[in-house]
Amino acid sequence: MDFTFTPEEIAWRHEVRGFLEEHSPADAPYEEMHHDWDFYRKLAGRGWLTLDWPEQFRGSPPATKVEHAIFLDEYGYSWTSFGHVLLSATTLVAHTIMKFGSPEQQELLLPGIAKGEFVCAQGFSEPDAGSDIASLRTRAERDGDHYVLNGAKVWSSSAHYAKWYLVAARTDPDSTRHRGLSVFLVDLEQPGIEIRPLHLVAGGRNNAVWLDNVRVHESMLVGTEGEGWVVMQNLLAEEHGGENVVVPEAAGRVGSGREPIRDHVRGGELGRVIDELARYLTAHGIDPEGRGRPLWHRLARLRQQVMQWQLRVFHEASLADRRYPGEPMRYMECGFVAHRELFGEVAAAARDILGPDALRERVADGFAPLRGRIAWMLRAAPVMTVAGGTQEVAKNVLARHQLGLPKSY
Amino acid sequence: MALQLTEEQVELRAGIRRLLERNWTRAQARALVEDPLGFSPGLYRRLLDAQLREMAVPEAGADLVDLAVVVEELGYHAVVSPLVDDLVAQRVLAELGASEPAGPVAPDALGITVCATREPGFHSSTERITARLSPADGGGLRLDGTKVFVPWAHAAERFLVWARLAPTDELRVVAVPAGAPGVEITPVVNAAADRWCDVRFDGVALDAGAVLGDADAAAAAARVHDAWLLLHCADRVGGAQAAVDMTLDHLRTREQYGKPLGAFQALQYRMLDLVMALDHARLLTYHAAWVVAQGLDADREVAMAKGAVSATYADVTDGCTHLHGAYALIHEHDLSVYFQRSLGSIVTLGHPDDWLDLLARDLHRRAVDELAAAGEG
């Protein structure tokens, strides 16, 4: 068993940290979908928008999953909006095009995504098709060498500033469920597209997209007509899989530049909340021995929860590096599910520790602890257990694939 | 980094598994509940023959992670025995430079040694120890005091007793033969069905040579003792895994309303939460064992592991019992062994508040340092 980082991994961590300390947008709103083009292109300039792209599209070998997890640990700790690097539909669209797109589509999208020239959005969910995505009703009808799309989509994050839109529609009107679906690339600037804002309780906006006789050339069909479900499944469940192979490893020892992970792991955005809460209590003279003991106990419990989550993330990443080396990160692992619940628990505990000041959300508010971060987290917690699929669906998928229980949905 | 077993550890685990599959069943474990001794001397002899006790000595080339692998497997197979406490005592002896047996041991004896640390009262810590070593009238020393929840004392041949040496009252560790005059052993009849005894030492006469090492060595031994109690975490991780495996099997095969129980989402959620908690407990346990094995200060990691395993083992065995419906409520069900043992965590792994105090102080200390550094900067 090896609980060390190599010298190269430690150097990578410090490179990421140094970059973020210099370039992360100061005083930007905390919304997950906040997008800063200037910062985004700096990330692109480093090649960090494509950390998990295969070499053939990236031009250089991808980061290992452990390196990617280190990147996200530092990125999270900087409290920079994740919309740039993780939840962004751009990542998922890029991976879909790499796997299913034509050479022409790949040429059209991938270099521009890698350079940060534009972002993409995804149009799968509909008003009446959420977790049960196979019940979608948007139609795509053949008209010569074009398809004509009609329907309504919701939860298309970043569609209001994205260029390309990956849309799922029903090409066979007589089909039901997952048969007869197809996936298209749609230019969001073309006629027939109306993007309406959905203003979020958590701050920022999401989008509903109306498609009214939108004409798409057949060359923009992704994959095969009627086989869209395979493409969609890959995108939604890209996140899961890998053979359950155990490859024994040499015992890791401290020395020769290798250092214990516990001395370097930061716990991402949640780890920083704990560090800042500890400093806040200490600065206010609340110590762990007196009346502050229950508060510090709560914090100590969170510290343990964040530590075990981080161990899980690096464990899963190191396993994935062995099981499917060179393939993209998969998000639908247990670490993803664990983080979503932990986010809300940390927010609630921070609120209880801080009291009313936790609700202050202006960074400039002199009385706002933790730069107003907790106020935003309290509003964002319900997003966490829904975005990208509800927690229940995620757990059903894990119960089926990791515990070997029967399909229950 | 790679958090997987090494090739040697995989072989080690396979060897223990083969030994247990040939020599131990859960039915035997269940039968022990009514057994006055509470463990199988025959199996214990086989485990000793497998050189497990020797692995506890630093020179053996094994470390705490290797032993955790062994003990997790024992826990999985519901091997209830003094082994963990014996291993902890062996490691404490090594720390005190006294790993050779203190006296002649009968050839058929198991030579079990256990530590007697805890005293009556609300919490246990070395600061609160009052057992006393004082000069005896006819030369040598006498030991007076009471230790509670001494593991497997009824089966031990020797105790390592934490006591204060007159006149300075510095902490010392002293080796006491279990059969010495003045030693009174009373089993604790208890809800967990684990085997503990209260042990009274009433003017027990000892040679000065029974005192192992000086005050510094005793303090170091106390730290080693606390760290090596991690092996109880490994035992519980193995036990919880067995409970999970049994329950997954039940959910896959038991049908109600025309479908397997595992097809009901409410049961899937409960099961997945238990499995994820167990993953965390295992990761924290091996991480802490690894930090100890590296010779680094591991107080924080050990505290996290003990706190998490204590809570998780109870949650998992309780949850798995519940998911079996009424099946697992009887002693005849294998799960009963694992469930009942969850009650003992408060003794073997300590008071949860103690671990939270330790973690809280660590966080506070770091925050004080960071604020001071920021102030200077």
Side-chain angles (χ1 to χ4, degrees):
Chain A
M1 231 167 277
D2 177 4
F3 290 94
T4 63
F5 286 127
T6 63
E8 294 76 21
E9 287 165 343
I10 295 166
W12 166 238
R13 180 178 282 282
H14 287 284
E15 183 186 346
V16 175
R17 187 180 303 178
F19 170 87
L20 290 167
E21 282 171 359
E22 188 176 348
H23 298 293
S24 178
D27 301 335
Y30 289 129
E31 289 105 66
E32 290 296 290
M33 287 304 147
H34 171 76
H35 198 81
D36 182 314
W37 281 106
D38 183 46
F39 173 67
Y40 190 64
R41 283 169 188 151
K42 282 180 188 154
L43 287 170
R46 294 281 184 129
W48 293 354
L49 296 180
T50 60
L51 285 172
D52 60 354
W53 288 22
E55 183 166 3
Q56 80 177 102
F57 298 109
R58 190 170 194 254
S60 58
T64 64
K65 286 159 202 72
V66 167
E67 287 166 348
H68 203 153
I70 289 169
F71 176 82
L72 293 175
D73 184 23
E74 289 295 329
Y75 193 93
Y77 200 89
S78 75
W79 284 355
T80 312
S81 167
F82 267 113
H84 299 110
V85 292
L86 187 60
L87 296 176
S88 158
T90 307
T91 309
L92 293 173
V93 172
H95 282 299
T96 302
I97 297 303
M98 283 185 262
K99 187 151 182 190
F100 296 100
S102 65
E104 181 195 354
Q105 291 166 355
Q106 290 173 347
E107 188 52 36
L108 205 54
L109 265 74
L110 298 180
I113 291 174
K115 287 180 200 146
E117 288 170 1
F118 51 80
V119 298
C120 305
Q122 175 213 332
F124 286 7
S125 295
E126 298 185 359
D128 293 321
S131 295
D132 182 13
I133 198 69
S135 65
L136 66 83
R137 293 197 298 213
T138 294
R139 286 171 295 120
E141 288 161 304
R142 249 306 180 179
D143 180 18
D145 56 2
H146 278 71
Y147 293 87
V148 180
L149 273 57
N150 280 286
K153 295 288 179 183
V154 284
W155 307 122
S156 293
S157 309
S158 62
H160 57 297
Y161 57 84
K163 175 162 177 57
W164 291 100
Y165 192 38
L166 194 74
V167 180
R170 197 166 289 286
T171 36
D172 178 358
D174 299 325
S175 68
T176 56
R177 309 294 303 161
H178 56 274
R179 289 173 290 274
L181 300 174
S182 302
V183 174
F184 300 91
L185 269 177
V186 177
D187 185 336
L188 277 165
E189 283 156 19
Q190 76 183 88
I193 291 173
E194 186 191 349
I195 300 171
R196 298 184 197 166
L198 301 172
H199 297 290
L200 301 172
V201 174
R205 68 176 269 190
N206 211 298
N207 302 288
V209 179
W210 264 254
L211 303 163
D212 180 16
N213 287 319
V214 174
R215 293 182 66 79
V216 182
H217 190 262
E218 61 184 7
S219 64
M220 289 294 105
L221 174 70
V222 180
T224 312
E225 182 182 310
E227 313 252 323
W229 185 247
V230 180
V231 180
M232 296 167 71
Q233 277 299 95
N234 182 69
L235 197 152
L236 293 172
E238 164 169 58
E239 305 83 12
H240 174 80
E243 302 227 350
N244 198 17
V245 182
V246 176
V247 185
E249 174 67 359
R253 303 227 157 253
V254 175
S256 313
R258 284 179 173 268
E259 294 181 28
I261 65 172
R262 64 143 190 200
D263 294 342
H264 293 275
V265 149
R266 305 184 99 188
E269 55 177 334
L270 303 181
R272 177 157 166 202
V273 170
I274 289 159
D275 290 351
E276 299 234 5
L277 281 173
R279 285 195 290 269
Y280 184 86
L281 290 177
T282 303
H284 283 75
I286 299 169
D287 67 48
E289 310 300 336
R291 283 182 60 200
R293 190 168 176 243
L295 302 183
W296 281 96
H297 275 198
R298 192 117 188 230
L299 202 54
R301 208 183 290 278
L302 291 181
R303 181 79 192 81
Q304 177 213 306
Q305 287 176 290
V306 170
M307 185 65 191
Q308 70 195 21
W309 167 65
Q310 283 286 281
L311 287 173
R312 175 191 282 286
V313 165
F314 283 100
H315 174 61
E316 288 179 353
S318 69
L319 281 183
D321 275 329
R322 277 141 204 288
R323 290 180 187 167
Y324 42 96
E327 283 185 43
M329 284 276 274
R330 296 159 197 255
Y331 300 114
M332 194 60 83
E333 301 283 358
C334 290
F336 168 76
V337 166
H339 172 263
R340 288 152 53 116
E341 284 177 13
L342 190 52
F343 184 95
E345 286 175 41
V346 169
R351 174 201 61 206
D352 294 351
I353 288 170
L354 294 168
D357 281 337
L359 304 182
R360 297 176 184 270
E361 61 182 0
R362 290 268 175 267
V363 172
D365 180 339
F367 295 114
L370 280 62
R371 299 164 51 82
R373 180 76 176 181
I374 301 305
W376 170 75
M377 284 181 73
L378 288 166
R379 294 202 289 165
V383 178
M384 290 293 159
T385 46
V386 170
T390 65
Q391 189 76 340
E392 286 73 21
V393 169
K395 285 186 175 178
N396 288 336
V397 170
L398 287 173
R400 184 178 169 198
H401 292 290
Q402 299 215 351
L403 304 186
L405 294 177
K407 188 177 178 185
S408 64
Y409 49 93
Chain B
M1 60 171 289
L3 315 185
Q4 299 187 69
L5 300 186
T6 64
E7 211 157 317
E8 293 77 17
Q9 287 162 348
V10 170
E11 275 173 33
L12 188 60
R13 185 176 63 180
I16 294 294
R17 186 172 295 169
R18 280 194 301 275
L19 189 155
L20 295 175
E21 281 169 355
R22 279 200 299 270
N23 297 291
W24 194 243
T25 63
R26 287 180 181 140
Q28 286 172 282
R30 281 190 277 113
L32 289 177
V33 173
E34 303 294 330
D35 181 75
L37 192 58
F39 73 105
S40 158
L43 180 65
Y44 207 78
R45 169 57 60 199
R46 286 179 191 279
L47 295 173
L48 294 184
D49 288 347
Q51 306 285 304
L52 294 188
R53 192 183 269 158
E54 285 75 3
M55 281 177 67
V57 181
E59 295 76 44
D63 64 22
L64 192 57
V65 179
D66 300 327
L67 276 172
V69 170
V70 170
V71 171
E72 183 184 342
E73 196 61 29
L74 295 173
Y76 188 88
H77 290 269
V79 176
V80 179
S81 84
L83 186 71
V84 165
D85 298 294
D86 199 351
L87 293 176
V88 172
Q90 295 304 322
R91 184 64 184 80
V92 166
L93 280 169
E95 187 66 31
L96 295 164
S99 48
E100 292 303 308
V105 175
D108 59 339
L110 295 173
I112 294 168
T113 306
V114 296
C115 296
T117 59
R118 182 183 292 260
E119 298 198 357
F122 192 55
H123 285 238
S124 74
S125 70
T126 45
E127 290 93 62
R128 291 166 198 252
I129 284 168
T130 60
R132 202 147 190 273
L133 284 162
S134 48
D137 292 341
L141 294 165
R142 60 175 286 169
L143 172 65
D144 296 275
T146 301
K147 296 290 178 179
V148 296
F149 288 107
V150 180
W152 301 98
H154 64 292
E157 287 169 34
R158 181 171 49 165
F159 302 126
L160 302 182
V161 182
W162 269 227
R164 301 204 172 274
L165 179 64
T168 58
D169 283 348
E170 286 176 336
L171 190 68
R172 288 290 190 281
V173 180
V174 60
V176 182
V183 176
E184 187 190 336
I185 300 170
T186 311
V188 180
V189 179
N190 71 87
D194 276 308
R195 303 305 170 119
W196 298 293
C197 301
D198 295 335
V199 182
R200 255 190 85 200
F201 301 94
D202 188 5
V204 178
L206 299 166
D207 293 340
V211 177
L212 307 171
D214 58 12
D216 289 343
R223 281 198 300 277
V224 162
H225 173 263
D226 283 355
W228 273 56
L229 286 181
L230 261 179
L231 288 175
H232 279 299
C233 292
D235 171 82
R236 270 142 212 276
V237 164
Q241 186 64 55
V244 160
D245 287 354
M246 271 185 246
T247 308
L248 282 172
D249 202 38
H250 183 71
L251 293 179
R252 288 182 198 120
T253 52
R254 164 86 170 162
E255 294 199 358
Q256 291 287 275
Y257 303 103
K259 56 180 176 178
L261 288 180
F264 290 92
Q265 295 189 346
L267 306 189
Q268 289 194 348
Y269 300 146
R270 180 102 190 242
M271 196 66 222
L272 189 73
D273 286 346
L274 296 177
V275 169
M276 287 176 56
L278 172 56
D279 288 347
H280 289 145
R282 178 181 281 113
L283 284 165
L284 288 171
T285 296
Y286 280 101
H287 181 233
W290 181 88
V291 176
V292 171
Q294 298 295 304
L296 304 169
D297 176 13
D299 288 355
R300 190 177 49 187
E301 286 73 23
V302 169
M304 285 192 209
K306 287 179 179 172
V309 170
S310 188
T312 298
Y313 186 76
D315 287 348
V316 169
T317 53
D318 180 59
C320 287
T321 301
H322 178 81
L323 286 164
H324 271 80
Y327 269 90
L329 300 180
I330 54 173
H331 274 299
E332 282 73 12
H333 197 286
D334 286 340
L335 203 48
S336 64
V337 181
Y338 298 98
F339 169 73
Q340 208 164 357
R341 298 194 73 216
S342 72
L343 304 171
S345 296
I346 194 78
V347 176
T348 45
L349 298 178
H351 201 299
D353 277 355
D354 289 342
W355 305 129
L356 291 174
D357 275 342
L358 191 148
L359 292 173
R361 287 185 198 119
D362 177 71
L363 273 172
H364 181 247
R365 198 163 40 240
R366 282 194 310 162
V368 168
D369 291 348
E370 285 164 12
L371 289 170
E376 287 163 16

